[in-house]
Amino acid sequence: MNGAIVATLSAIAMIVVCFASLPAEADAAITVEDGLGNSFTFDSPVDKVIAIGVGPTATVIGVGAVDKIVVSDNYSYTNKDPIFDGLRERVDAGEVLAGGNIYSSGKAQLKTDIVFSSDPETGTFDREADAVIVTGSDTYRNNIVPDLEELGFKYVLQWYDIHDYEKIVEFAETVSKVCTGKVVAAVDEMSIIPEFIEGKVQDAGVDIVDAFYVTYSSNTFKVCNYGSLAASMIEAACGNVITKDSAKSGTTYEANITSIVEAHEGCIIFVDNTIHSSEANLQKLKGAVGGHATLIDLKPIWNNYCIESVDGVWHMACAMYPDLFEGDVPEEDDGKSDNLLLYAAAGIIAVAAIAIVAVVFLKR
């Protein structure tokens, strides 16, 4: 009988051990796909990252991996957004190189920085295990990618262009998996926020707000069209984009702002940095609007391949539906606390089961 007791208690003890080990994530291969459809498999999260571009750099920082960056670009270093403060400190301390960029003027220095950081004698980046993340047109990416391939860089993840907010989420998920081995809560938040906004708007039964995005180039105002990331973000914030026109080519097109506002008085206009950073351009826009629409400034980093885009969507929702939304983006619980409670409860139940079985056998 003592042998049966020992066997039973041992079996239950094994169950307890299994429950206790659940929170620890087992190492597993990480398979992701970049924006060109190339598939990559990593044995584990990378130790180091080369992030080329403001969006990639901000997203690596946003998933909590700023300490893994060894090379960035001078546009990220000089960007005034607070998300880059930690990067600037690391560059100033000599821990990150950020002297070049993907464009013609900076490609030589960028290659120099990358080679230095990936040389076993001078750097810590492993060309056969760590990741390069780069975005840009074929022309600009070709300023550096062929050189990396020739030098034996195994993991060069590329994105050409993203016109849809959902694609931004997919981009951030890929970066998160490569850098951390999982999709972090901040990235989960990116996909959940549009659903949250839509649910609140539908529950409130309010009318969908008319809105559009305006930028300035070639001495004229241009508005968002099909294929515009800004238009997609407005829609993710539950707005009705009134400037989408299939008869117009391009993601933005020249338009008469006054005529648009007259047809949709009271609409919301989301204003690009090219306008609100220039007093002359801003006054010109205000004159065209004539006080019949609300102007809302956008941070330049929001309209990018960037984890920060969710802040832009939330900002848009707060502007269009001030009675429903305000303050900072609601934080998404990463579920760790719930999991810990679940595992703890399971452990308690298992221990109780051991005690019950022991008492039964002892009585027998």
Side-chain angles (χ1 to χ4, degrees):
M1 183 63 68
N2 289 337
I5 294 174
V6 172
T8 303
L9 295 180
S10 297
I12 298 177
M14 290 176 65
I15 296 174
V16 174
V17 171
C18 290
F19 274 112
S21 64
L22 281 175
E25 295 182 5
D27 291 336
I30 302 165
T31 299
V32 297
E33 188 175 283
D34 71 3
L36 304 186
N38 301 314
S39 182
F40 300 87
T41 298
F42 299 83
D43 293 333
S44 62
V46 298
D47 292 325
K48 302 297 178 183
V49 177
I50 293 173
I52 305 173
V54 169
T57 302
T59 302
V60 172
I61 295 170
V63 301
V66 65
D67 58 326
K68 295 190 176 186
I69 299 175
V70 294
V71 175
S72 182
D73 60 290
N74 53 13
Y75 287 104
S76 298
Y77 175 68
T78 58
N79 194 293
K80 296 180 181 180
D81 193 279
I83 194 172
F84 296 103
D85 288 348
L87 175 74
R88 275 188 285 274
E89 292 175 1
R90 292 177 61 80
V91 173
D92 293 341
E95 298 171 344
V96 177
L97 299 178
N101 57 66
I102 200 174
Y103 305 106
S104 298
S105 61
K107 65 179 183 180
Q109 184 59 53
L110 176 62
K111 181 178 178 181
T112 298
D113 290 348
I114 291 174
V115 170
F116 183 89
S117 296
S118 61
D119 187 321
E121 295 184 1
T122 57
T124 57
F125 185 94
D126 188 337
R127 299 182 186 183
E128 296 186 353
D130 293 325
V132 178
I133 300 172
V134 55
T135 60
S137 69
D138 292 341
T139 299
Y140 293 132
R141 284 185 290 103
N142 283 337
N143 283 336
I144 191 65
V145 171
D147 292 333
L148 299 182
E149 293 174 343
E150 184 178 343
L151 289 168
F153 283 75
K154 184 177 179 180
Y155 298 104
V156 182
L157 283 68
Q158 306 176 64
W159 280 262
Y160 169 58
D161 202 1
I162 296 179
H163 301 296
D164 190 282
Y165 177 76
E166 291 183 0
K167 295 296 183 182
I168 295 288
V169 177
E170 292 176 8
F171 168 74
E173 288 176 347
T174 297
V175 173
S176 182
K177 290 176 183 177
V178 170
C179 293
T180 72
K182 61 183 180 180
V183 177
V184 300
V187 176
D188 278 335
E189 182 180 81
M190 295 179 71
S191 61
I192 292 172
I193 286 300
E195 298 175 5
F196 174 77
I197 294 170
E198 182 180 16
K200 286 283 189 179
V201 171
Q202 289 181 347
D203 290 345
V206 298
D207 293 334
I208 302 301
V209 173
D210 291 338
F212 67 97
Y213 161 84
V214 61
T215 186
Y216 190 83
S217 65
S218 302
N219 297 316
T220 188
F221 291 116
K222 295 181 180 180
V223 298
C224 61
N225 196 15
Y226 289 97
S228 163
L229 176 57
S232 176
M233 291 171 63
I234 293 171
E235 291 173 338
C238 214
N240 175 42
V241 181
I242 57 178
T243 56
K244 291 171 70 172
D245 186 347
S246 59
K248 303 288 186 180
S249 61
T251 58
T252 61
Y253 62 89
E254 183 178 347
N256 186 313
I257 304 299
T258 301
S259 296
I260 296 173
V261 171
E262 287 178 351
H264 303 274
E265 188 163 350
C267 65
I268 303 291
I269 304 177
F270 294 107
V271 183
D272 185 70
N273 182 64
T274 56
I275 298 172
H276 65 73
S277 63
S278 166
E279 185 61 28
N281 290 346
L282 181 58
Q283 290 305 319
K284 189 183 297 185
L285 177 62
K286 287 181 177 180
V289 170
H292 299 292
T294 301
L295 304 180
I296 303 295
D297 294 346
L298 297 181
K299 288 186 178 181
I301 197 172
W302 290 339
N303 193 19
N304 209 319
Y305 296 82
C306 184
I307 195 170
E308 296 286 289
S309 294
V310 67
D311 292 335
V313 170
W314 182 254
H315 183 75
M316 289 173 169
C318 290
M320 292 188 290
Y321 307 100
D323 293 335
L324 300 180
F325 310 108
E326 63 179 356
D328 297 330
V329 180
E331 293 186 3
E332 168 66 11
D333 184 1
D334 62 9
K336 290 181 180 178
S337 58
D338 291 340
N339 287 339
L340 289 174
L341 290 174
L342 176 62
Y343 300 140
I348 292 171
I349 293 171
V351 171
I354 291 175
I356 293 171
V357 171
V359 170
V360 171
F361 274 108
L362 288 173
K363 284 184 177 181
R364 289 182 179 179

